[in-house]
Amino acid sequence: MTKVNLLSLGLCLHGFIIQAQEEIVIAKGNPIITNKYTADPAAYVYGDSVYLYTGHDVAPKGKEYYEMNEWLCYSSADMVTWKAHPSPLNIKNFAWAKGDAWASQVIERNGKFYWYTAVEHGSISGKSIGVAVSDNPRGPFNDALGKALITNDMTKATNIGWDDIDPTVIIDDGGQAYLFWGNQRCYYVKLKPNMIELDGSIQVVNIPEFTEAPWIHKQKAWYYLSYASGFPEKIVYAMSKSINGPWVYKGILNEIAGNSNTNHQSIIEFKGKSYFIYHNGAVNTDGGSFRRSVCIDYLHYNNDGTIKRIVMTTEGVKKVK
Ligand code: FUB
């Protein structure tokens, strides 16, 4: 990663001057960002750019658990030159949450950007899913509901308190939005057009050896549900012609990272190429599972729609025009 410059922006909004710093960095292969730990990537293509939303690992050396208090946002028009925006969302933005800014995903609808996040609930035992909203993909984002969208007492397929994590969202071709999430069980539910209310009952997805980190995407006629499996985690995937399944398990997509127990993936299409965006523990020398870093490699489909095994590289990807 090469620092190019530091822009100090003075933005005039309703008479107030807001100082924001946007650092431009050029990825030198993988991991793409090396001046802070970034985890749980969720990329979103909007306009001419990719917006990369990540968690922020700040666990000090020796602490062997997650410490995550805010989410980060980067954008790029070429997959190599990244603009680091000021953090657009913090756990403090959810007054009802008490910590753990875990995995998340952003999606746009009708000019608004909805950010689904996993957090620890302050008064209902266990993890939960919140939703924040903004008019701008760079934020700032604010709590859209003033309460959680999903809480642990709404999901009964396991007894654990951390099954309501790792939200992923899609709007299908007919305009119906769906939220998938889970740990040990993968859940999904329809969302109303306002994106902040459930539209029906929560269903369990029938897929094998599901650990966590579902990512839902569509390519041509196929829906793909990729997810972390086993522990340490590898990323596997299933395919279906319908968002409601049945899902056909297709096996391993990305192998165990080796230097991190988790590998949390995001899959996008941008300027004619497909990308597999994930994290590993390659930047630090303090143990990788709680100090993770985002990487990007190419993803290739076969003619029948199946996906070739990902090749994790240190070179990463090249600039795309
Ligand atoms: O970052 C905290 C948790 O680690 C995420 O929710 C999981 O997907 C795993 O990456």
Side-chain angles (χ1 to χ4, degrees):
M1 185 187 89
T2 303
K3 280 188 196 177
V4 170
N5 61 23
L6 195 66
L7 304 175
S8 239
L9 302 179
L11 304 177
C12 187
L13 190 67
H14 304 301
F16 293 97
I17 300 292
I18 299 169
Q19 289 297 325
Q21 289 189 328
E22 293 186 326
E23 188 181 356
I24 295 175
V25 294
I26 297 178
K28 293 279 189 190
N30 284 325
I32 61 166
I33 294 146
T34 55
N35 64 341
K36 55 180 75 167
Y37 296 124
T38 53
D40 301 328
Y44 188 61
V45 176
Y46 186 73
D48 192 40
S49 295
V50 171
Y51 290 85
L52 173 63
Y53 302 91
T54 78
H56 186 191
D57 278 336
V58 292
K61 181 176 181 175
K63 178 174 177 182
E64 290 307 295
Y65 196 61
Y66 303 110
E67 192 166 325
M68 306 176 80
N69 306 310
E70 64 177 1
W71 294 269
L72 303 175
C73 174
Y74 299 83
S75 65
S76 176
D78 65 11
M79 298 301 285
V80 169
T81 312
W82 291 93
K83 192 180 283 184
H85 303 288
S87 167
L89 185 64
N90 190 290
I91 194 70
K92 291 181 183 150
N93 291 110
F94 297 110
W96 46 269
K98 71 175 178 192
D100 291 346
W102 282 17
S104 69
Q105 188 178 344
V106 174
I107 198 167
E108 183 267 347
R109 180 160 213 164
N110 296 331
K112 288 197 182 300
F113 297 82
Y114 296 89
W115 197 339
Y116 299 85
T117 63
V119 297
E120 182 75 19
H121 202 284
S123 57
I124 300 172
S125 176
K127 291 280 182 288
S128 54
I129 294 175
V131 51
V133 66
S134 176
D135 294 331
N136 190 310
R138 296 180 297 281
F141 284 77
N142 291 305
D143 188 355
L145 267 176
K147 61 178 184 176
L149 179 65
I150 305 283
T151 50
N152 188 41
D153 52 2
M154 294 164 67
T155 52
K156 306 284 186 194
T158 75
N159 288 327
I160 61 174
W162 58 94
D163 53 332
D164 298 295
I165 63 168
D166 294 0
T168 176
V169 61
I170 191 171
I171 300 173
D172 76 7
D173 299 338
Q176 177 64 57
Y178 296 85
L179 183 72
F180 288 67
W181 73 99
N183 181 294
Q184 297 188 24
R185 295 290 184 282
C186 183
Y187 301 103
Y188 82 115
V189 70
K190 284 184 187 174
L191 296 174
K192 290 188 178 172
N194 65 14
M195 301 298 276
I196 57 171
E197 284 179 273
L198 308 188
D199 193 5
S201 57
I202 296 171
Q203 309 288 325
V204 176
V205 185
N206 185 14
I207 40 175
E209 296 176 48
F210 174 80
T211 300
E212 59 182 5
W215 179 267
I216 184 87
H217 79 279
K218 191 176 185 210
Q219 171 74 3
K220 297 188 176 161
W222 288 103
Y223 291 92
Y224 296 83
L225 185 55
S226 53
Y227 56 96
S229 182
F231 200 82
E233 297 174 347
K234 50 190 169 290
I235 304 302
V236 302
Y237 76 107
M239 292 168 64
S240 177
K241 282 278 166 78
S242 163
I243 190 98
N244 296 303
W247 293 95
V248 180
Y249 181 72
K250 293 292 177 181
I252 297 173
L253 180 54
N254 193 39
E255 266 299 349
I256 289 170
N259 49 19
S260 163
N261 284 331
T262 63
N263 202 210
H264 199 118
Q265 82 296 354
S266 168
I267 294 170
I268 56 163
E269 189 84 7
F270 183 59
K271 296 186 176 173
K273 293 190 185 305
S274 297
Y275 297 92
F276 186 82
I277 307 174
Y278 59 101
H279 66 224
N280 67 18
V283 159
N284 71 90
T285 53
D286 301 333
S289 290
F290 307 106
R291 287 161 287 272
R292 300 162 293 179
S293 300
V294 168
C295 301
I296 305 178
D297 278 301
Y298 293 112
L299 179 145
H300 300 283
Y301 294 92
N302 295 309
N303 289 338
D304 64 358
T306 56
I307 310 177
K308 292 187 199 299
R309 189 81 66 102
I310 301 296
V311 178
M312 289 183 277
T313 70
T314 50
E315 298 97 324
V317 298
K318 294 190 180 348
K319 278 188 182 181
V320 64
K321 286 189 182 156

